[in-house]
Amino acid sequence: MSSLKKNIGLQMSYRVLTIITPLITSPIISRALGAEKIGVYSATQAYANYFMLFAMLGIEYYGQRSIASTQTRNERSVMFWEIYAVQCGASIASIVIYYLSAYFWSSTRVTILMIQGLWVISCLFDINWLFFGVEDFKTTVTRNFIVKVATVCCIILFIRKPSDLCLYALIMAGSTAISQLLLWTKTVKYVDFQKVQLAQIKKHFLPIIRLFVPMIALSIYHFMDKTMLDLLSTEAEVGYYYAADKIIYIPLGLITAIGTVMLPRISSIVGESKEKTEKLLSKSTELSICMSCAVGFGIAAIARVFVPLFFGEGYEKCVNLLVLFVPVLFVKSLSNVVDQQYLIPAKCDNQYTLAVTGGAIVNLICNGLLIPQLGSVGHLI
């Protein structure tokens, strides 16, 4: 239990950093780039995110669970290389398709789309799931801390005007790619190189696809909203939406840090002790509900004062958006408990697929009915 508390503490400390850094950088970015350029960044990043989804195939969850269930170093090594072979193939295919599609998609956004492709490239080197699976959160937190601080420094030093949009995209996407590459220097601590056969790799396809289907569903309401707004409204309106959405997801990252730590722990004990598993889930649920309620009501209470002070003039439309987004904190925190701390560790992949897909369909219907009628986010005020 002490190691679990330590891991939660490490994850929380990093999540606190992820809260502090946007509080430093967002006012700089909103004033330097303006709502329109932020809208362009949001739309192009959402486009890259679709390909990141196909590059990872839900391996971040499947990999954690699989690594956590191994008993010996040799078994872990074989498991790692089998799963990474699937990730490698999917990532390379996604990178190629992304750059081909980006080149022909928009002549006015080619440059920034090429830069945003670094997000997709970073998926090729993303092995966080190995370290989460062995519950080594210190390595990932330390790396992320260093990269995050360097990223903040670059934004403060170099982002000054709207024409710095591409530079901002390069800093954000490039730092992620570098962060993923740094992890490979630590893999020798946990795995050895193993040659794997195609027959060994094939056995992972079906379980990965089962987790990939809900990942597609999740993307529908996590990325599609920005894509729909980009198509149906102006770039400035997308920028307002992105700014409000970003504020909501800052504390959400802190709340979901609990799930990141609990997934490998519950995966390793779920078959051993039902009583211990239920106790951990109960405590995690209580903590998630308390945190989401406190943060949600706090944001709603200060939104009208906070937005103009934080983002500057011209972002008044974000005030009511923030209030409307508050329920997302409650829903997402409970969803994190059910999905990452119960269904996935217990290998209830079919139930997980049905639950997430059903939720995504409801959200897609709401977005599809609401956004065309409003015409723009501004009409929400």
Side-chain angles (χ1 to χ4, degrees):
M1 184 62 72
S2 60
S3 63
L4 182 61
K5 290 179 180 178
K6 179 182 176 182
N7 288 334
I8 290 178
L10 284 169
Q11 275 295 308
M12 286 293 187
S13 64
Y14 172 65
R15 298 295 181 167
V16 168
L17 178 65
T18 64
I19 290 175
I20 294 172
T21 51
L23 294 178
I24 298 171
T25 59
S26 293
I28 298 172
I29 296 164
S30 62
R31 288 168 171 82
L33 299 182
E36 185 175 335
K37 293 298 183 182
I38 291 175
V40 173
Y41 176 83
S42 174
T44 53
Q45 187 189 36
Y47 185 72
N49 281 331
Y50 292 118
F51 292 87
M52 292 175 68
L53 182 76
F54 281 92
M56 291 303 296
L57 293 175
I59 287 172
E60 56 267 47
Y61 295 148
Y62 179 77
Q64 285 184 55
R65 187 179 71 186
S66 300
I67 293 296
S69 64
T70 58
Q71 303 298 321
T72 64
R73 182 183 177 93
N74 183 68
E75 186 181 350
R76 187 193 307 128
S77 299
V78 172
M79 181 69 71
F80 169 76
W81 288 108
E82 287 174 356
I83 296 173
Y84 182 70
V86 178
Q87 179 182 334
C88 188
S91 296
I92 292 173
S94 297
I95 291 167
V96 172
I97 296 172
Y98 171 82
Y99 276 104
L100 288 175
S101 63
Y103 181 78
F104 294 104
W105 180 43
S106 174
S107 58
T108 60
R109 295 180 176 177
V110 170
T111 303
I112 190 170
L113 282 169
M114 294 296 147
I115 296 172
Q116 298 282 34
L118 288 171
W119 289 103
V120 188
I121 293 174
S122 70
C123 293
L124 181 62
F125 308 106
D126 185 354
I127 53 170
N128 283 281
W129 48 271
L130 167 63
F131 295 90
F132 291 161
V134 297
E135 298 189 52
D136 180 4
F137 294 94
K138 183 179 180 181
T139 297
T140 56
V141 167
T142 303
R143 172 215 60 174
N144 289 338
F145 184 91
I146 295 171
V147 173
K148 185 69 70 174
V149 170
T151 302
V152 172
C153 291
C154 289
I155 291 173
I156 294 173
L157 291 173
F158 302 116
I159 306 303
R160 292 281 183 266
K161 51 189 182 299
S163 59
D164 292 332
L165 172 63
C166 289
L167 179 59
Y168 172 65
L170 180 62
I171 291 171
M172 297 299 291
S175 63
T176 301
I178 292 171
S179 177
Q180 308 296 14
L181 280 169
L182 289 175
L183 271 186
W184 281 88
T185 61
K186 301 291 185 179
T187 55
V188 292
K189 183 178 178 180
Y190 298 108
V191 297
D192 302 312
F193 178 75
Q194 297 281 346
K195 290 184 177 180
V196 292
Q197 304 297 322
L198 182 60
Q200 295 173 281
I201 300 171
K202 283 182 178 179
K203 68 182 181 182
H204 297 288
F205 286 170
L206 186 58
I208 287 175
I209 292 301
R210 284 175 180 167
L211 288 178
F212 177 53
V213 171
M215 290 300 99
I216 296 176
L218 281 170
S219 74
I220 291 176
Y221 66 84
H222 189 59
F223 306 139
M224 186 64 75
D225 51 0
K226 299 176 185 68
T227 304
M228 291 173 69
L229 283 169
D230 186 44
L231 294 173
L232 298 171
S233 187
T234 65
E235 293 172 343
E237 301 290 354
V238 180
Y240 300 138
Y241 186 94
Y242 175 78
D245 186 62
K246 188 175 183 179
I247 292 298
I248 288 295
Y249 273 85
I250 290 173
L252 186 62
L254 182 63
I255 298 169
T256 56
I258 302 169
T260 303
V261 175
M262 295 293 288
L263 193 156
R265 175 57 62 93
I266 294 178
S267 295
S268 62
I269 67 169
V270 69
E272 300 174 7
S273 174
K274 181 180 179 181
E275 182 180 349
K276 192 173 181 180
T277 303
E278 289 177 349
K279 186 178 179 180
L280 286 175
L281 282 171
S282 178
K283 289 184 176 180
S284 177
T285 303
E286 290 175 5
L287 183 58
S288 296
I289 291 174
C290 289
M291 291 178 65
S292 62
C293 287
V295 173
F297 286 116
I299 289 175
I302 67 171
R304 195 163 298 279
V305 176
F306 174 78
V307 167
L309 181 65
F310 187 70
F311 291 115
E313 295 181 3
Y315 286 86
E316 290 76 14
K317 292 182 178 181
C318 294
V319 173
N320 283 11
L321 286 176
L322 268 180
V323 177
L324 290 172
F325 287 165
V326 163
V328 172
L329 285 170
F330 311 141
V331 176
K332 286 282 188 179
S333 60
L334 289 176
S335 173
N336 182 263
V337 174
V338 175
D339 298 345
Q340 293 192 37
Q341 300 174 49
Y342 176 67
L343 294 178
I344 293 178
K347 299 185 178 181
C348 301
D349 296 344
N350 291 332
Q351 292 90 326
Y352 175 58
T353 300
L354 288 172
V356 176
T357 304
I361 291 173
V362 171
N363 278 273
L364 180 61
I365 292 172
C366 291
N367 283 348
L369 292 174
L370 181 65
I371 293 175
Q373 291 178 10
L374 295 174
S376 70
V377 181
H379 294 144
L380 285 169
I381 309 303

